[in-house]
Amino acid sequence: MYRRAPSQAAVTALALLGLLCGAGAQGADPYEKVRALMVERQIEARGIKDRRVLEAMATVPRHEFVPETYRDEAYADHPLPIGEGQTISQPYVVALMTELLDLKGGEKVLEIGTGSGYQAAVLAAVTERVYTMEIRAALAKEAAARLERLGYRQVRTRLGDGYYGWPEEAPFDAIIVTAAANHVPPPLLAQLKEGGRLVIPIGSTRYYQTLTRITRVEGEFEVEHVTSVMFVPMVGAAQKQRP
């Protein structure tokens, strides 16, 4: 590790931890103020404006979706490992991808890559119908149990290869992919409703991808390149198929 003056991220993490310790002594929800600080400094400060997204980020208990050993870092400005080589995304990235879906409430959303279940919980706080798929059996089982325990019963979970989507429930108003692929899976495009949005990291390297939003307009697809991101790669059929 570098030995130098603390970065802004480190200062924020320390502030979060200090608030957590103070709130814990007061009872109630010990993470409420920590989440509020996360939203203010990490999310609103970077330009996220959708009030539904901000409210979701301020209420969903992110600490419940990380391993016990990382709970004191749950609201810090970086991703965290959740097992099997996977991560829970940085809070800002979760908020950004959710805002890009442009949800108003009532939409039917498909998430590819359940992971810990955190993104699905955020989506469920914004809209009522959320479907989420995970290819790793252990993560899928844990996330399903966690979402049930926390009361997110409107989220439907499924073990399977997200490359092929969830055709029985298509079409979807929005699709979000939380792993990087070197191309957009054609089945996901086919399952996107007219006017629907697909948000996905596109890139062939593990360390650099482009967060991309694709909107279906009159049978065509409009593509927007949003920003650079870093996600774990999509596995399964995505690794075997070629653009």
Side-chain angles (χ1 to χ4, degrees), residues 1-101:
M1 297 179 62
Y2 295 107
R3 294 186 178 277
R4 61 183 181 183
S7 64
Q8 183 58 49
V11 170
T12 300
L14 288 172
L16 290 171
L17 184 58
L19 272 178
L20 174 59
C21 293
Q26 300 171 13
D29 181 355
Y31 293 90
E32 184 177 2
K33 291 184 178 179
V34 183
R35 281 195 300 275
L37 186 62
M38 175 192 74
V39 170
E40 176 188 345
R41 295 188 178 182
Q42 299 178 35
I43 298 173
E44 276 192 289
R46 288 178 176 144
I48 301 298
K49 297 181 175 61
D50 189 316
R51 299 311 307 177
R52 297 173 67 89
V53 175
L54 294 172
E55 289 170 9
M57 298 298 295
T59 55
V60 174
R62 183 176 166 89
H63 60 280
E64 294 280 3
F65 294 87
V66 303
E68 188 71 33
T69 52
Y70 293 103
R71 192 155 281 192
D72 63 343
E73 299 180 58
Y75 297 95
D77 190 20
H78 54 72
L80 292 167
I82 58 172
E84 299 205 20
Q86 304 303 294
T87 60
I88 180 173
S89 295
Q90 174 188 13
Y92 168 71
V93 172
V94 173
L96 174 62
M97 293 181 74
T98 305
E99 184 175 66
L100 287 171
L101 295 176

Side-chain angles (χ1 to χ4, degrees), residues 11-232:
V11 170
T12 300
L14 288 172
L16 290 171
L17 184 58
L19 272 178
L20 174 59
C21 293
Q26 300 171 13
D29 181 355
Y31 293 90
E32 184 177 2
K33 291 184 178 179
V34 183
R35 281 195 300 275
L37 186 62
M38 175 192 74
V39 170
E40 176 188 345
R41 295 188 178 182
Q42 299 178 35
I43 298 173
E44 276 192 289
R46 288 178 176 144
I48 301 298
K49 297 181 175 61
D50 189 316
R51 299 311 307 177
R52 297 173 67 89
V53 175
L54 294 172
E55 289 170 9
M57 298 298 295
T59 55
V60 174
R62 183 176 166 89
H63 60 280
E64 294 280 3
F65 294 87
V66 303
E68 188 71 33
T69 52
Y70 293 103
R71 192 155 281 192
D72 63 343
E73 299 180 58
Y75 297 95
D77 190 20
H78 54 72
L80 292 167
I82 58 172
E84 299 205 20
Q86 304 303 294
T87 60
I88 180 173
S89 295
Q90 174 188 13
Y92 168 71
V93 172
V94 173
L96 174 62
M97 293 181 74
T98 305
E99 184 175 66
L100 287 171
L101 295 176
D102 194 23
L103 303 175
K104 307 302 181 186
E107 293 93 346
K108 191 176 189 179
V109 181
L110 173 63
E111 179 197 18
I112 304 302
T114 310
S116 69
Y118 178 66
Q119 176 71 79
V122 171
L123 292 169
V126 178
T127 192
E128 292 80 20
R129 295 180 293 168
V130 179
Y131 297 73
T132 182
M133 297 183 65
E134 173 58 54
I135 197 170
R136 294 171 176 79
L139 289 181
K141 182 178 180 180
E142 291 170 5
R146 183 178 297 114
L147 289 164
E148 174 72 18
R149 174 174 61 82
L150 294 173
Y152 295 99
R153 296 180 178 85
Q154 72 272 46
V155 178
R156 291 184 57 183
T157 61
R158 184 176 192 175
L159 173 64
D161 191 336
Y163 186 90
Y164 300 108
W166 200 323
E168 309 94 286
E169 294 294 342
F172 295 96
D173 297 289
I175 300 175
I176 180 172
V177 182
T178 58
N182 64 4
H183 66 285
V184 181
L188 298 185
L189 291 175
Q191 293 173 34
L192 194 62
K193 193 174 183 179
E194 176 66 26
R197 286 79 56 201
L198 166 63
V199 175
I200 180 173
I202 298 293
S204 57
T205 72
R206 186 180 180 92
Y207 302 104
Y208 178 85
Q209 304 105 27
T210 300
L211 187 60
T212 304
R213 179 167 66 176
I214 301 168
T215 305
R216 186 167 195 159
V217 181
E218 297 183 353
E220 301 295 325
F221 296 99
E222 296 181 352
V223 179
E224 303 168 66
H225 301 298
V226 181
T227 189
S228 298
V229 289
M230 186 168 64
F231 277 81
V232 296

